[in-house]
Amino acid sequence: MENMTPKIKDIYKQVISRNPGEVEFHQAVAEVLESLGQVIEKYPEYADHKIIERICEPERQIIFRVPWADDKGNIHINRGFRVEFNSALGPYKGGLRFHESVYLGIIKFLGFEQIFKNALTGLPIGGGKGGSDFNPKGRSDDEIMRFCQSFMTELYRHIGEYTDVPAGDIGVGGREVGYMFGQYKRITNRYEAGVLTGKGLSWGGSLVRTEATGYGAVYFVNEMLKTRNDSLAGKTCSVSGSGNVAIYTTEKINQLGGKVVTLSDSNGYIYDEDGIDLELVKNLKEIERRRIKDYCQYRKNAVYKQGGNIWEIPCEVAMPSATQNELNLADAEILVKNGLIAVGEGANMPTTPDGARFFLNNNVLFGPGKAANAGGVATSALEMQQNASRDSWTFEYTEERLQDIMKNIHNSCYEQAEEFGCPGNYITGANIAGFRKVADAMISLGLI
Ligand code: GLU
């Protein structure tokens, strides 16, 4: 809060008292509001129109019961969420997260981030997020299907290609999107491809969507490095997580000549000095759905550290791609001591605010999630374009579009940071660039 102007601080206090206990949401709001002092001074119309107050209040919040039966016939009750945060730029867009930690505060933090991330892509998508406190770990395929069907049995009435377009996030990938799309189609009797993204390639999905978040994050880091006449070639990189984002971050780093030496899951991390064997990881994670520790059964030089701190491994580039608040101030200090030069956030809000501040103060290039990981949702918007025209693009063309989008995002963050007197600060740059796009649209649309 120290970095907020008095007026903005008052708004922030209101947000806290109106949304008690939602600590992740408070954190995401604080991080954006800290960047906006000068913007409000320079453009007083944003204050006149109460844009900040309006942007912090979701347009609509839906909470619902998700009952389902496991393979033994036992009944479980989960809670489903969809927070439709802002539709000034287009239909609500954002993923669904299935994870036991999910509650309203997590969905609101993600939905809030999504508004600015989606604005940064330059594509016509508003911001939203949803999910459930359902824990998919250890569940059979049938159980996952029944859960997805029950979840969609309520969600279907709230979504649509012109209304709200969900996709995946933690715990939701192609399989889950498939079951949900099937149920939506069955209930509505409509083959409405544009209602969900992250679909399979044979039924309306887009090439590159699977790779997009990771690839995009690496492009973003590469753009940041270019501003210092540097590149990823020859760099040792540490990637956390072992889901979709981490896997395709590793793939793109390898393609650009870097070397990834770590991956992790919620139990521990692996360190492979020779560089991660990605085909092995893909097989373990994408096909066999196993834990990352099994990697060491096949690679004798690799080590697994149960419960260890992945950020102790020396690296020049760190790409936290697991989950929120996975990298704190102490971790940032170790990384900088070990020679870190750049961070690209593949996950949403993986670095704590004091960690991020430490990176900036130590001249580390820092690409915040809402800019660096925007390639996923951007490619979702490209999937929507293909669905709208009943077309499908080649891998090369789609990847080219993604690469252009990431360059543009980088450049708008860079330019806004310069314009507002903090060159090289991509956090402020991303917040201001995203905010202004949404704010200007909100003013044009009137008081709605
Ligand atoms: N869950 C992803 C994100 O955090 C992707 C959302 C989407 O494709 O709609 O941006």
Side-chain angles (χ1 to χ4, degrees), residues 93-95 114 117 129 165 167-169 197 209 348 373 376-377 380:
K93 182 82 196 86
Q114 202 84 44
K117 183 196 301 194
K129 203 88 186 192
V165 183
D169 195 83
T197 62
R209 177 62 191 89
N348 290 312
N373 74 35
V377 75
S380 277

Side-chain angles (χ1 to χ4, degrees), residues 96 98 141 144-149 152 166-168 171-186 191 193 195-205 289 383:
L96 298 168
F98 291 170
D141 198 67
I144 298 284
M145 180 175 75
R146 285 197 295 277
F147 178 82
C148 290
Q149 290 176 338
M152 187 51 83
V172 177
R175 171 178 63 164
E176 290 75 14
V177 169
Y179 294 146
M180 286 190 275
F181 184 71
Q183 184 74 347
Y184 182 87
K185 185 175 77 62
R186 185 182 194 193
Y191 204 106
V195 70
L196 288 167
T197 62
K199 298 182 293 296
L201 295 177
S202 59
W203 44 278
R289 296 182 188 273
E383 183 173 331

